[in-house]
Amino acid sequence: MGYDALLWLSFGGPEGPDEVMPFLENVTRGRGVPRERLLEVAEHYQHFGGVSPINRLNRAAMAAVEKQLAAEGLDLPVRFGNRNWNPMVEDTLAEMKEDGVRRALVFPTSAYGGYSACRQYDEDIERARAAVGEDAPELVKLRQFFDHPLFVSAVADAVRAAHAKLGDRPGTRTVFTAHSIPDSADLAAGPPAEGGRRYSRQIAEAARLVAAEAGVAEYDVVWQSRSGPPQIPWLEPDIVDHLDALHAQGVESVVVSPIGFVADHLEVIWDLDNEAAERAAEHGMAFARAATPDSDPRFAEMVVELVREQVDGVPARKLSAFPVAGCTVNGAPCAVSCCEPLRRPGR
């Protein structure tokens, strides 16, 4: 095949109370985030015993992918590395080198383009290879998959199931959410020739595709989990503010689909299952949150299909006109100046 392993590259999360602050310090290093803000976010983690579900969910998804790979006759061990917490990608890559891995595919746990959603994974790859040094394995990152038919169908079925929980009430509003980013970062997302905003445009397209498959005629795309000083514009509206607006419009029930996430990050279970659900309850609105797709069997099938695009030259299956993007080698960007990070004052 030309590949020796599949590296599962994710964000990472604490798995105990003592790990919360060191993890948050890793996430925010160099960003000048006040300690008061870190302590505030740490309380969200402590609400769940200091454990983020993300590592557990990644391991479960990896096991499903390993099973699917074996079923299709692909001998590719799946290795786990994170950006911000153990197992750190640098350590995993060093172990892969010691085990004789020379060339590996990389599956980043993000479906979209943009700096945080795509380019930062390239930086993770570049940093890990530099840390390993001479003879570091070659790493080929798999493409963005927000418009893959298996991803779309899994999310659409989750939306249907959430509607069913509410008894398929007439007038239920479907709301898609994704992680907010600074407006300037969205403007810089994608190659300059595209005019930017690849992230928000891909989120909007994924929502359109899912709504069409789920049979949803009316829906909204909103944002969640913003941070940073209030004077810096981020993508809006926020989900909680949007629930206030829907209540004012007389909407009595809502289904929320975290389409920007492939698994239940802490942001999903805190911002949606707690804050948004509580605001809906205050308004007397029925509320159901659709599941993320990582535990759906189609998710593992999709990952293996992305692998086959590289291993066997299988044509990319897509439901949108967006170009295939995100597949890079050794951390190189998709294109010149694609999704470059914003420079902070003094840097």
Side-chain angles (χ1 to χ4, degrees):
M1 294 187 301
Y3 296 97
D4 308 310
L6 173 64
L7 172 60
W8 193 275
L9 182 55
S10 194
F11 188 81
E15 297 185 270
D18 294 341
E19 298 179 358
V20 172
M21 282 302 291
F23 162 74
L24 292 174
E25 288 165 355
N26 280 352
V27 172
T28 59
R29 183 167 286 115
R31 292 169 52 187
V33 177
R35 185 166 180 80
E36 294 75 19
R37 174 57 181 163
L38 294 187
L39 292 170
E40 179 184 337
V41 175
E43 284 302 311
H44 300 170
Y45 285 89
Q46 300 299 353
H47 182 81
F48 300 99
V51 178
S52 168
I54 190 62
N55 279 358
R56 172 179 56 82
L57 294 170
N58 273 321
R59 293 185 182 107
M62 288 167 56
V65 168
E66 285 185 319
K67 184 176 180 180
Q68 187 69 29
L69 286 166
E72 297 192 25
L74 294 170
D75 183 17
L76 277 180
V78 183
R79 310 294 290 269
F80 185 21
N82 284 322
R83 176 184 304 156
N84 296 300
W85 201 244
N86 302 320
M88 300 294 288
V89 63
E90 295 92 338
D91 298 333
T92 300
L93 194 63
E95 292 171 1
M96 291 168 64
K97 175 186 172 181
E98 290 300 313
D99 292 342
V101 174
R102 305 179 74 177
R103 192 169 184 236
L105 294 166
V106 182
F107 175 73
T109 56
S110 170
Y112 300 93
Y115 174 69
S116 296
C118 182
R119 179 70 181 271
Q120 199 166 6
Y121 288 101
D122 295 326
E123 294 179 354
D124 296 336
I125 290 168
E126 187 176 27
R127 185 184 67 253
R129 295 189 77 251
V132 171
E134 189 176 357
D135 296 326
E138 181 179 69
L139 298 178
V140 179
K141 183 159 68 74
L142 299 174
R143 68 174 175 90
Q144 298 157 14
F145 54 87
F146 71 95
D147 56 355
H148 193 289
L150 291 173
F151 177 78
V152 171
S153 62
V155 177
D157 280 353
V159 169
R160 290 191 191 98
H163 275 273
K165 285 181 185 177
L166 297 182
D168 292 315
R169 302 183 184 200
T172 297
R173 185 69 63 91
T174 301
V175 180
F176 294 101
T177 72
H179 204 301
S180 185
I181 61 174
D183 188 74
S184 55
D186 189 48
L187 186 60
E194 277 190 12
R197 303 205 181 276
R198 177 179 277 185
Y199 175 68
S200 61
R201 289 188 296 118
Q202 287 181 344
I203 294 289
E205 177 65 1
R208 185 189 70 81
L209 292 169
V210 168
E213 180 152 339
V216 172
E218 291 188 31
Y219 64 90
D220 305 312
V221 177
V222 303
W223 308 94
Q224 63 174 88
S225 311
R226 75 149 288 165
S227 59
Q231 65 269 24
I232 296 178
W234 283 51
L235 296 179
E236 294 180 334
D238 177 79
I239 176 61
V240 174
D241 295 336
H242 189 63
L243 291 175
D244 293 341
L246 291 179
H247 173 65
Q249 296 169 22
V251 174
E252 297 180 351
S253 54
V254 63
V255 163
V256 176
S257 170
I259 198 169
F261 301 83
V262 301
D264 283 6
H265 291 238
L266 186 104
E267 288 92 339
V268 173
I269 61 175
W270 178 262
D271 294 346
L272 299 185
D273 297 350
N274 282 268
E275 291 187 340
E278 288 174 2
R279 182 58 60 88
E282 291 171 6
H283 291 314
M285 300 170 71
F287 178 96
R289 199 263 288 177
T292 46
D294 66 311
S295 61
D296 189 294
R298 285 167 290 191
F299 191 78
E301 293 173 18
M302 180 201 70
V303 174
V304 175
E305 192 169 309
L306 296 177
V307 167
R308 284 204 173 278
E309 290 178 11
Q310 300 302 314
V311 171
D312 299 327
V314 173
R317 289 205 293 154
K318 293 169 49 60
L319 296 175
S320 81
F322 277 84
V324 173
C327 184
T328 60
V329 179
N330 291 340
C334 292
V336 175
S337 301
C338 184
C339 299
E340 289 192 336
L342 297 177
R343 300 301 173 190
R344 300 183 185 92
R347 297 187 67 189

